[in-house]
Amino acid sequence: MQPDEQKTNLLEFDREGMEAFFREMGAKPFHGRNVLKWIHKHGVTDFDSMTDLSKPLRAQLKEAAEVRVPEIVFEQPALDGTHKWLLELDCNNRIETVFIPEPNRSTLCISSQVGCALDCSFCSTAQQGFNRNLTTAEIIGQVWVAQRELDRPLSNVVLMGMGEPLANYDAVLAATRIMQDDLAYMLSKYRVTISTSGIVPAIRQLTRDSEVSLAVSLHAPSNDLRDQLVPINRKYPLEELIPACRDYLRGDKRRKVTWEYVMLDGINDSDRQAKQLIRLLEGTPSKVNLIPFNPFPGTEYRCSPMERIDAFRERLVRAGIVTTTRKTRGNDIDAACGQLVGRVKDRSRRELKHSGGLAR
Ligand code: SAH
């Protein structure tokens, strides 16, 4: 759909924003709530089908607004049921969204930026450079499109696709509010997860603004190693990151921080590092998610052998830390962690190092 620059995209609004928009039009805010429900609960984008709005209000809306959803330019199902969509936002920007079905849940992994500025050494999204933040409409639009395409409701949304969600704070926050709204996707705070590389001031701000689940890309038990793997650590080191995450739980006994830890052969996977990790997480209610490294063209890292991953996990479990190993999903279609690249034409930071593969 071609954007009409004059018209406001109603996908941009959470409940509060929608009410304000209607108020500004001289209409009652409850019409805004109805429209939110039409769009997100019923998937309706055409104002004439919103039967509880009066004809004059529909006409007014058609003049001022539209519901503009991202366009699917390519889609690919994987052998294991994982499904990847390449979505076009405008002529320069494409992003990837991945659906991961499991027997007892169906998770959508969405992107928050086109590319990423953070430069983590083991992530292929980082190799693309950074182009721009997504708008709220583009973030929630991924959920909208997936819900239209799927024949089952989503049970979980994770902001673990392309980009650093907390570097696009306002748009991400509004989108998570729509996900949680009873008039929209009705996902509980436990079923919406923001994953961050550890931008401490934004984690502190999120503690005031939201209760969604928090996952943190830890990947190393010490500053010297984390400085290399996740360079933002040089700005916000572990002694600031860990307390900020602990405080995020606000003492709620049912909650834990999820720590993502990519298993890199010979880099971060030794018994000594497992012990260091146990010490680091002491006093913070934690879940550790070990992620087998997904290689991409040009990388020098290798995934730890399965026996090493098992031994590492065993150590953490024996210390009383809930630890799971993430199943690699959709890797036959480059949809696994760190393999999402979308297409970033305007690379502000670096040249694309590799070519080939899907969606590049
Ligand atoms: N920027 C956010 C959101 C991205 S989430 C963050 O860093 O948390 C994507 C997850 O996949 C992160 O935990 C990331 O560290 C991990 N990841 C990146 N590249 C990977 C790779 N090649 N193999 C496995 N996991 C990877």
Side-chain angles (χ1 to χ4, degrees):
M1 219 185 285
Q2 278 309 306
D4 182 333
E5 296 300 335
Q6 306 303 312
K7 293 189 180 179
T8 302
N9 186 1
L10 297 186
L11 275 188
E12 198 56 36
F13 296 134
D14 61 8
R15 184 189 293 224
E16 212 176 282
M18 195 72 96
E19 289 176 347
F21 180 77
F22 275 72
R23 235 181 265 117
E24 271 163 37
M25 281 202 316
K28 292 262 168 26
F30 81 88
H31 292 304
R33 295 196 291 276
N34 285 344
V35 169
L36 193 72
K37 196 165 161 184
W38 277 115
I39 296 173
H40 295 288
K41 211 182 250 303
H42 305 302
V44 171
T45 58
D46 162 28
F47 297 126
D48 279 328
S49 307
M50 304 185 180
T51 48
D52 55 7
L53 304 182
S54 70
K55 284 226 170 88
L57 183 54
R58 282 185 228 165
Q60 203 186 345
L61 274 174
K62 274 189 262 179
E63 280 294 303
E66 61 182 340
V67 183
R68 196 168 61 243
V69 302
E71 201 179 312
I72 300 176
V73 284
F74 191 75
E75 62 183 305
Q76 198 172 16
L79 297 171
D80 62 7
T82 303
H83 197 101
K84 180 162 89 166
W85 291 282
L86 180 65
L87 301 176
E88 182 151 281
L89 308 174
D90 56 51
C91 50
N92 282 325
N93 293 297
R94 292 174 170 191
I95 50 161
E96 295 183 329
T97 302
V98 181
F99 174 65
I100 308 145
E102 286 170 278
N104 51 1
R105 63 174 164 190
S106 45
T107 303
L108 191 69
C109 177
I110 64 174
S111 298
S112 57
Q113 298 181 314
V114 186
C116 189
L118 284 178
D119 211 14
C120 299
S121 57
F122 54 87
C123 180
S124 78
T125 302
Q127 316 296 315
Q128 307 295 299
F130 172 71
N131 196 4
R132 69 166 172 87
N133 280 332
L134 300 191
T135 62
T136 299
E138 291 163 344
I139 298 169
I140 202 66
Q142 298 169 64
V143 181
W144 191 96
V145 166
Q147 200 57 95
R148 182 190 64 196
E149 297 297 307
L150 296 168
D151 51 10
R152 55 196 273 194
L154 295 171
S155 68
N156 295 67
V157 176
V158 296
L159 281 122
M160 292 187 187
M162 296 165 66
E164 167 51 50
L166 294 187
N168 183 13
Y169 190 88
D170 293 339
V172 162
L173 187 67
T176 61
R177 289 197 168 132
I178 302 171
M179 292 169 208
Q180 295 175 269
D181 199 310
D182 289 346
L183 299 175
Y185 302 96
M186 289 200 321
L187 299 176
S188 82
K189 60 187 179 187
Y190 301 106
R191 291 172 176 272
V192 176
T193 302
I194 290 183
S195 178
T196 178
S197 56
I199 302 182
V200 170
I203 295 172
R204 296 263 176 220
Q205 184 62 42
L206 196 68
T207 313
R208 295 189 277 275
D209 292 339
S210 179
E211 292 192 296
V212 297
S213 299
L214 184 67
V216 178
S217 293
L218 190 60
H219 306 316
S222 62
N223 280 323
D224 53 349
L225 182 57
R226 195 162 189 272
D227 282 350
Q228 294 168 35
L229 299 177
V230 186
I232 193 81
N233 193 71
R234 295 175 203 158
K235 198 158 177 196
Y236 307 116
L238 293 170
E239 56 277 18
E240 291 176 29
L241 176 63
I242 306 286
C245 297
R246 192 184 316 130
D247 292 348
Y248 185 79
L249 302 176
R250 282 151 276 192
D252 182 342
K253 296 234 156 35
R254 288 160 301 180
R255 311 208 77 176
K256 288 184 166 68
V257 178
T258 299
W259 305 100
E260 296 160 281
Y261 197 100
V262 66
M263 296 303 286
L264 302 170
D265 188 22
I267 305 280
N268 65 355
D269 62 351
S270 71
D271 283 344
R272 188 180 60 83
Q273 286 160 322
K275 268 197 234 158
Q276 260 181 315
L277 182 58
I278 293 164
R279 222 172 307 126
L280 183 70
L281 299 183
E282 224 170 61
T284 306
S286 295
K287 233 176 351 194
V288 172
N289 195 200
L290 303 177
I291 314 176
F293 172 65
N294 294 307
F296 50 89
T299 183
E300 283 171 8
Y301 293 114
R302 279 161 304 147
C303 182
S304 312
M306 228 355 134
E307 313 80 70
R308 184 85 296 269
I309 299 180
D310 288 343
F312 197 90
R313 189 187 60 227
E314 201 41 48
R315 282 208 169 245
L316 301 185
V317 168
R318 263 191 273 127
I321 300 175
V322 179
T323 308
T324 50
T325 304
R326 187 176 293 176
K327 250 174 79 185
T328 293
R329 301 287 305 260
N331 56 341
D332 56 324
I333 56 165
D334 274 359
C337 306
Q339 291 184 324
L340 300 186
V341 292
R343 192 186 70 175
V344 184
K345 268 194 183 163
D346 173 13
R347 288 171 212 110
S348 53
R349 215 169 35 82
R350 291 201 251 165
E351 281 306 300
L352 184 63
K353 280 191 187 154
H354 335 289
S355 58
L358 193 90
R360 282 179 195 157

